[in-house]
Amino acid sequence: MHLGRVIGTVVSTSKDASLCGSKLLIVARLTEKQEPDGTTEIATDTVGAGYGEIVIVATGSAARQAGALVHSVTDASIVGIVDTVETH
């Protein structure tokens, strides 16, 4: 899992049936200091995240364990909205 910031949305009327009904968001990956690391990804939103929010992203097969995505083609899912981050 890693931290990311929602920077946009993706609208796709033609997609795999397993993604129908899913909200797709563009997420910028963040460092531990909450700074962008230069990479982005499209993630399936399972928690109702919105633009500008810091989120927790699960990737790989773990991404399909969130919500009703067990048989989905997704490999990145937003599984949490972050309230605070504390590093030392």
Side-chain angles (χ1 to χ4, degrees):
M1 291 189 291
H2 61 269
L3 294 177
R5 183 178 306 275
V6 177
I7 61 169
T9 60
V10 174
V11 177
S12 175
T13 55
S14 181
K15 60 188 168 233
D16 187 85
S18 68
L19 293 174
C20 287
S22 295
K23 183 166 79 169
L24 303 174
L25 298 176
I26 304 170
V27 178
R29 194 172 186 145
L30 300 177
T31 68
E32 70 280 356
K33 295 184 182 194
Q34 301 175 44
E35 299 168 345
D37 78 355
T39 60
T40 59
E41 63 194 328
I42 298 170
T44 307
D45 181 25
T46 66
V47 295
Y51 179 79
E53 291 188 298
I54 296 176
V55 294
I56 301 168
V57 179
T59 57
S61 61
R64 289 184 290 280
Q65 301 304 311
L69 299 173
V70 174
H71 300 293
S72 175
V73 297
T74 193
D75 67 350
S77 291
I78 297 170
V79 297
I81 299 172
V82 175
D83 295 316
T84 61
V85 175
E86 185 176 323
T87 59
H88 299 277

